[in-house]
Amino acid sequence: MTTITEPALDLAAEDVATDDIQDAEIRLFNTEPARPLIPGDTIEWGGGRPLRLLYTGLVQYGYDDAVAANAMAESIETTDSKFFRIKVKQGWTFHDGTPVTAHSYVNAWNHVAYGPNNMGNRTYLSKIEGYADLNPESGTPSTDKLSGLELVNDYEFTVTLSERASVFPTMLGYFAFYPMPDAFFADPEAFAKHPIGNGPYMFVSHTPEVETKFTVFRDYKGKHRGHVKDVTFRAYTNDDEGAYQDLVDGKLDYMEGLPYERVAAGDHTGDLDGRYVDRNFMHLQNLYFPHYLPGYDNADLHKAISMAIDRGRVIKEAMNGKQRPADGFCVPGVLGYVPGQGGEYFTYNPEKAREHFAKSGFTGPLTLFANFGSAAVTWMPMVCEMISETLGIECTMNREMPFGEYLPRVVGQTMTGPYRQDWRAEYPSLENFLSPLFKTGMAANYAGYSSPEFDAAIDEADAAPSEEAAMELYQKAERILVETMPALPLWQEWSVSGYSRKLTNVKVDIFTDLIVTDVRVADDATS
């Protein structure tokens, strides 16, 4: 029998008495959420950061290794990785005082999976039996309920998958699987303006393009309870330098991913006087090809451009020197990662790059796209220059689109050339670097890549009898990607995050989020 266990010691924070909550506010860097804070529809980290405070799922991920452990789940049991019995802890409530029950999960998952609701994360529910009935190729679904979900009682439900999936329990910490209160179903529009979660902090207000405010939920039943009363996410869309200056000036308390140029120059060491955290995380930077356009679905073109890029030189000269050159479609520290999986196609080789380019039939010109204000401003010029010099074609850049315009173009498949798209893992598995991005029709496969061979390999891995067997098969699927290079993984990001003098007990998790529930405000900084 497979089971997810209680959290390990490094996941647990001590209980927080009501009188131990500091009457203070901390201000965190964020970008403007692209959509309302509805878990099933949040697809980017501007919404993801606040969601992780607003909600608690069945499982949570370890701070350092992202290993899944029970949070709201009392137990998750299976004997075959196809049929799961899930018991929900009793005594938890949403922020409006209504209980969190098995119904809260079943109702939420049905809503996310139902095709006409057009939830951005619905394909994460695709492993559950009955998903196809809720998402027919044409026409209106005949049902709005997943046949694979069954309520046993108020605090227990079962899940039947269409095929075995040993990774399923690990997935349950992702946004798509969060519970939803009755208030959402009663009035979704009102809920979007004032979301109600079950996490350690509850929503107060949102001012578009300015800030989103939260306050501690004093009745929270989880192990990670807030010590600081108020948390404000400040929106710095397209203004990393402005955020950095606010951090230095004490107007901002935490910023993940300090600007590359500041770190490369060493400015942060003096400006912040040692107040920074330097670590790797589950984040891969990529160039994606618009497979939906003629000429851009050519494997030889992909290989040519990949081998024309000297990843190590770009990291050394254009960034802070700590990023790790990609050697496959996954990053170190994630279950299933294989060193050197990408082989020669990830290695700078001008001669072979020109050979593949000649076979591709592509004549150029080439335009690379990145959103305005992204860190790509520091490395894309060098990448473009390398492509031009090696392949003898004109390479230009378009970095003028604000993120609010850029993301809809990526999602809506209207990009007209290779574009920057990073991937921050949603859960710690090689599968998460493969299926959502490259399987036909999946949630984050914005590039439109489709390979029956790859899809079949993923299906085979999903159906493996054990996690160990599944990883070997996911690695086989990754090797199929290497042969077509549908995207160009560039490097594993290495984040330097900074914080103000106001904060103490600062810890940063493997997602580069500040562990808000552990942080304290210095005694002389409380209000």
Side-chain angles (χ1 to χ4, degrees):
M1 176 179 289
T2 299
T3 182
I4 297 291
T5 61
E6 281 295 311
L9 290 177
D10 69 319
L11 263 173
E14 71 274 19
D15 286 341
V16 182
T18 300
D19 58 4
D20 189 33
I21 296 173
Q22 294 180 289
D23 187 11
E25 177 192 32
I26 57 176
R27 301 151 301 180
L28 312 181
F29 169 88
N30 201 22
T31 54
E32 175 68 13
R35 304 184 184 188
L37 298 179
I38 297 173
D41 204 31
T42 295
I43 60 173
E44 44 72 52
W45 218 242
R49 294 182 189 96
L51 274 187
R52 295 186 73 199
L53 286 187
L54 187 60
Y55 288 89
T56 296
L58 290 167
V59 306
Q60 289 178 323
Y61 304 123
Y63 295 155
D64 292 321
D65 55 14
V67 171
N70 280 350
M72 263 219 71
E74 186 70 44
S75 61
I76 302 171
E77 298 180 346
T78 183
T79 57
D80 60 1
S81 293
K82 183 177 181 181
F83 179 81
F84 295 83
R85 184 173 295 274
I86 299 175
K87 293 182 180 180
V88 178
K89 289 178 180 176
Q90 299 186 32
W92 285 57
T93 66
F94 287 104
H95 300 150
D96 62 357
T98 58
V100 186
T101 67
H103 301 263
S104 310
Y105 286 94
V106 171
N107 292 342
W109 295 7
N110 280 327
H111 182 87
V112 174
Y114 185 59
N117 290 332
N118 199 29
M119 293 283 102
N121 286 322
R122 68 181 180 277
T123 59
Y124 288 92
L125 282 297
S126 63
K127 298 181 189 299
I128 300 176
E129 192 171 84
Y131 178 83
D133 296 332
L134 273 63
N135 294 270
E137 293 185 5
S138 62
T140 303
S142 59
T143 178
D144 60 358
K145 302 290 190 296
L146 289 161
S147 60
L149 296 182
E150 183 175 343
L151 283 163
V152 177
N153 55 54
D154 284 348
Y155 291 96
E156 184 175 351
F157 67 104
T158 63
V159 184
T160 303
L161 306 183
S162 52
E163 299 287 348
R164 290 183 299 192
S166 59
V167 74
F168 184 70
T170 298
M171 295 173 65
L172 295 179
Y174 181 54
F175 310 149
F177 299 94
Y178 284 169
M180 296 294 281
D182 290 343
F184 169 75
F185 304 100
D187 192 340
E189 290 187 9
F191 186 93
K193 296 176 181 177
H194 193 107
I196 300 166
N198 67 322
Y201 282 82
M202 55 187 182
F203 179 87
V204 174
S205 65
H206 173 65
T207 304
E209 304 292 342
V210 178
E211 63 186 18
T212 308
K213 288 182 171 290
F214 294 84
T215 193
V216 70
F217 180 44
R218 295 176 184 270
D219 293 328
Y220 182 65
K221 302 300 182 184
K223 292 181 179 290
H224 311 293
R225 303 179 66 187
H227 292 266
V228 180
K229 179 175 174 288
D230 297 316
V231 176
T232 296
F233 288 91
R234 296 185 61 184
Y236 287 93
T237 304
N238 305 322
D239 190 18
D240 283 5
E241 181 59 28
Y244 179 81
Q245 288 299 332
D246 278 355
L247 181 67
V248 172
D249 294 340
K251 299 175 183 177
L252 184 70
D253 296 313
Y254 177 78
M255 180 183 182
E256 68 171 70
L258 300 180
Y260 280 148
E261 57 271 25
R262 290 291 189 174
V263 175
D267 295 344
H268 67 296
T269 60
D271 291 342
L272 298 175
D273 193 24
R275 299 187 312 278
Y276 58 89
V277 178
D278 186 351
R279 66 162 301 166
N280 67 311
F281 65 114
M282 298 191 303
H283 190 170
L284 192 61
Q285 188 66 252
N286 310 274
L287 274 178
Y288 278 77
F289 295 94
H291 290 258
Y292 44 83
L293 294 181
Y296 285 107
D297 59 351
N298 186 293
D300 282 305
L301 175 64
H302 306 164
K303 294 171 184 176
I305 294 176
S306 182
M307 299 173 82
I309 300 171
D310 187 341
R311 291 165 172 79
R313 182 183 161 201
V314 175
I315 290 169
K316 180 179 179 181
E317 297 182 14
M319 298 190 293
N320 62 36
K322 292 189 175 182
Q323 280 72 13
R324 185 187 189 282
D327 59 359
F329 286 82
C330 191
V331 298
V334 172
L335 183 64
Y337 165 76
V338 176
Q341 181 80 298
E344 65 173 343
Y345 301 135
F346 286 73
T347 303
Y348 178 58
N349 189 326
E351 183 177 346
K352 286 203 169 184
R354 286 188 282 269
E355 290 178 5
H356 282 289
F357 187 68
K359 294 178 185 177
S360 74
F362 189 86
T363 58
L366 186 73
T367 299
L368 306 184
F369 290 84
N371 56 292
F372 175 76
S374 76
V377 68
T378 62
W379 56 260
M380 190 168 277
M382 181 175 284
V383 167
C384 211
E385 182 180 349
M386 288 176 173
I387 293 171
S388 291
E389 290 181 353
T390 302
L391 304 181
I393 59 172
E394 180 185 359
C395 180
T396 59
M397 295 167 286
N398 183 323
R399 298 172 292 171
E400 304 306 316
M401 282 184 282
F403 189 68
E405 176 185 346
Y406 187 83
L407 182 61
R409 287 193 59 179
V410 170
V411 174
Q413 298 186 338
T414 59
M415 283 297 188
T416 55
Y419 57 91
R420 181 206 72 82
Q421 180 186 326
D422 55 1
W423 181 250
R424 188 193 303 243
E426 299 151 334
Y427 46 89
S429 171
L430 171 60
E431 185 270 346
N432 189 237
F433 283 84
L434 304 179
S435 297
L437 296 162
F438 301 109
K439 190 177 181 184
T440 303
M442 288 297 283
N445 187 357
Y446 308 130
Y449 174 74
S450 183
S451 163
E453 182 185 10
F454 175 77
D455 292 351
I458 289 294
D459 289 341
E460 183 183 13
D462 285 346
S466 68
E467 189 170 57
E468 181 179 11
M471 285 306 127
E472 293 181 1
L473 293 170
Y474 287 128
Q475 289 159 3
K476 171 187 170 184
E478 184 184 11
R479 288 192 290 273
I480 294 172
L481 291 184
V482 169
E483 290 307 311
T484 57
M485 295 294 286
L488 305 187
L490 298 174
W491 42 77
Q492 178 188 22
E493 292 286 0
W494 191 284
S495 177
V496 181
S497 302
Y499 57 96
S500 71
R501 289 185 176 85
K502 183 177 178 178
L503 303 191
T504 64
N505 200 42
V506 173
K507 301 173 187 175
V508 178
D509 68 15
I510 199 166
F511 298 98
T512 71
D513 282 341
L514 175 70
I515 303 172
V516 174
T517 50
D518 277 10
V519 78
R520 307 291 197 281
V521 171
D523 290 338
D524 59 358
T526 56
S527 58

